[in-house]
Amino acid sequence: MRKILVIVVVVLLAACNSAKKGISGSTSKYMVENLGKMDAEELSRNYPDANIQEGTDMFEEGTDERAYSILYPGTPDELHITWQDKSRTEIHDLRFSNNGKWQSETGINVGTTYAELNAMNGKKISFYGFGWDYSGAVDWNGGKLEKSGLRVFLNPENKPANKFYGDKVIQATPEEIEDLDLKVASIMINYAI
């Protein structure tokens, strides 16, 4: 009788652990870091409802032609992937700019504030000017997030003065930065580095 009871308990524990894995797996499905090792076939298999659109276009300021895939196009969960090869076997980079299901393991999401980024990084960040291809790009300055693989782009909620535009690191007072009301507008992971 005791052996049967032990077997029942072991089976129940295994079932509970299996159920927990299924729950955590459903939330980690939308962690962008989990996509890095997938090819186009695996994406289709893991995201059958994503209505994936594919094509080729020019990237890197119009200097490099790459294949791309868009998951969940036209929805808050839209995610862009560019590929290192036309066979779509290795991801070059991925990015998203809507506050949908996609998240980062770091806790950074679309809408994260400038102050929150500094706290997460453990060191003051810098950012580039607005109005160009890498508008609002963040430099982690050797902080905790330097090796995260994330490239984050800020957007001002309030209209910036002319001095905040262009391909340069912005020099601003804390008051000017607070007036800009900066928030993460898009997140990118580059796997080709």
Side-chain angles (χ1 to χ4, degrees), residues 137-149:
V138 167
D139 186 334
W140 301 117
N141 294 324
K144 292 178 192 173
L145 296 169
E146 185 75 41
K147 295 184 180 175
S148 68

Side-chain angles (χ1 to χ4, degrees), residues 8-192:
V8 169
V9 169
V10 169
V11 169
L12 286 173
L13 287 173
C16 287
N17 284 338
S18 174
K20 285 180 188 173
K21 285 180 186 173
I23 292 168
S24 67
S26 65
T27 56
S28 67
K29 177 180 178 177
Y30 294 100
M31 289 289 178
V32 289
E33 290 86 353
N34 292 340
L35 299 175
K37 303 261 187 234
M38 292 186 195
D39 62 19
E41 286 182 31
E42 290 171 301
L43 283 173
S44 293
R45 233 183 354 264
N46 289 315
Y47 300 91
D49 61 335
N51 190 27
I52 298 173
Q53 293 180 358
E54 295 183 334
T56 57
D57 207 345
M58 299 302 290
F59 295 89
E60 304 300 329
E61 300 183 273
T63 61
D64 200 3
E65 184 178 21
R66 287 201 194 100
Y68 69 83
S69 299
I70 302 172
L71 280 68
Y72 304 102
T75 72
D77 300 323
E78 185 171 291
L79 181 121
H80 292 247
I81 296 173
T82 59
W83 299 94
Q84 293 187 43
D85 56 339
K86 291 186 180 183
S87 306
R88 294 178 169 85
T89 59
E90 289 185 69
I91 293 177
H92 181 275
D93 62 47
L94 59 85
R95 72 176 66 212
F96 65 102
S97 54
N98 294 318
N99 201 359
K101 293 178 186 172
W102 297 106
Q103 298 177 22
S104 167
E105 296 174 334
T106 62
I108 299 171
N109 294 306
V110 172
T112 298
T113 67
Y114 175 83
E116 290 169 331
L117 284 180
N118 280 306
M120 290 176 190
N121 193 43
K123 188 172 186 179
K124 188 175 179 194
I125 62 172
S126 300
F127 63 96
Y128 284 79
F130 306 107
W132 64 297
D133 286 355
Y134 297 103
S135 181
V138 167
D139 186 334
W140 301 117
N141 294 324
K144 292 178 192 173
L145 296 169
E146 185 75 41
K147 295 184 180 175
S148 68
L150 289 185
R151 294 191 68 195
V152 173
F153 302 87
L154 297 171
N155 194 47
E157 295 289 306
N158 298 320
K159 183 159 176 51
N162 285 340
K163 76 176 197 170
F164 295 112
Y165 285 90
D167 178 3
K168 62 185 177 192
V169 174
I170 296 300
Q171 303 298 320
T173 67
E175 294 78 25
E176 288 173 320
I177 290 173
E178 188 176 332
D179 287 345
L180 288 171
D181 192 14
L182 298 169
K183 293 194 170 106
V184 172
S186 66
I187 297 173
M188 175 180 173
I189 300 178
N190 190 334
Y191 292 98

